[in-house]
Amino acid sequence: NFAGITVEKKTGILRGKKDVKIIDLPGTYSIKGYSQEEKIAIKEVLKENDKKIIVLLDGTALLKGILFLSELISQNKPIVVAVNFIDELEKSKLNIDFSAISKLTGITFIGISAKSGKNVDLLISKAISNDLVPPILSYEKLLNIVKSSIIKEKTKQQKLSQKLDKILSTGVSSILFLFVFLTLTFYLSGKIGGLYSTELSSFFSFILKTVGD
């Protein structure tokens, strides 16, 4: 959970699953938390029992929760990670490759929206059926895996610029572009004539020098 949201432990029964008890704990960013609510969460998580853990991370500030996740992994308990606010990520053109993170870490990562309920049923199903204890991963390795799986979607302008760069960087395309450019230069010089010839000459010299660089 996120630090400061829940301030006390709450217990309930999963709807439609009377044999499944859910414990909602205060949020924390480390098992070394010092506030009273953090101590409540840490004490419950570190208990020796058969509980399964759902780690709820803020998708808009995902890296903040990685330290706590790496600490939980060392406790040898089944873990499923829920990344909330995926609807907000879509609006900001950010994509997280949950499949890649899950494969590289051995931990099931699921993107959810608590607001709309998207993937919440999938999360519960995975958490109940999950008995796998994830392999030990250092904080640095886990952080790098998550970082590499966050993809910023390019804007239309960036995509167009990338395509033009690719076209003009190839040998044949560069020669063709230069040929067309020089042909156009001579054509315009002849058409417009002497009045602007000095300005045109300076302009095209600048363009050729820029392309050459």
Side-chain angles (χ1 to χ4, degrees), residues 88-100:
E88 296 298 323
L89 293 176
E90 291 169 357
K91 291 178 184 177
S92 60
K93 303 298 183 182
L94 276 177
N95 293 314
I96 299 175
D97 192 339
F98 296 112
S99 177

Side-chain angles (χ1 to χ4, degrees), residues 3 17 44 66 93 104 144 146 158 165 174 178 180 200 205:
K17 297 277 187 180
E44 186 66 38
I66 301 304
K93 303 298 183 182
L104 293 170
N144 288 333
V146 174
Q158 289 174 322
D165 287 343
S174 298
L178 186 59
V180 173
L200 280 172
S205 295

Side-chain angles (χ1 to χ4, degrees), residues 33-139:
Y34 297 104
S35 67
Q36 186 59 39
E37 57 267 26
E38 286 178 305
K39 289 179 180 179
I40 292 172
I42 294 163
K43 181 180 178 181
E44 186 66 38
V45 168
L46 297 183
K47 279 183 181 178
E48 292 293 335
N49 53 29
D50 59 352
K51 71 167 56 72
K52 301 174 181 182
I53 300 175
I54 297 177
V55 181
L56 184 60
L57 300 181
D58 182 348
T60 63
L62 186 55
L63 302 183
K64 285 185 177 181
I66 301 304
L67 174 60
F68 182 51
L69 178 58
S70 67
E71 292 172 337
L72 284 181
I73 290 174
S74 66
Q75 300 304 311
N76 295 315
K77 295 178 184 291
I79 293 173
V80 171
V81 177
V83 179
N84 198 13
F85 300 124
I86 57 171
D87 44 353
E88 296 298 323
L89 293 176
E90 291 169 357
K91 291 178 184 177
S92 60
K93 303 298 183 182
L94 276 177
N95 293 314
I96 299 175
D97 192 339
F98 296 112
S99 177
I101 300 178
S102 300
K103 184 176 180 180
L104 293 170
T105 62
I107 306 169
T108 299
F109 276 72
I110 300 173
I112 71 164
S113 171
K115 183 178 180 180
S116 67
K118 184 176 181 179
N119 289 343
V120 171
D121 288 341
L122 174 63
L123 169 66
I124 294 172
S125 174
K126 290 287 187 182
I128 292 174
S129 62
N130 177 49
D131 292 312
L132 296 177
V133 174
I136 300 297
L137 293 171
S138 67
Y139 166 68

Side-chain angles (χ1 to χ4, degrees), residues 177-193:
F177 171 77
L178 186 59
F179 174 76
V180 173
F181 182 79
L182 289 173
T183 302
L184 183 62
T185 300
F186 289 125
Y187 173 77
L188 289 175
S189 296
K191 277 295 236 184
I192 297 175

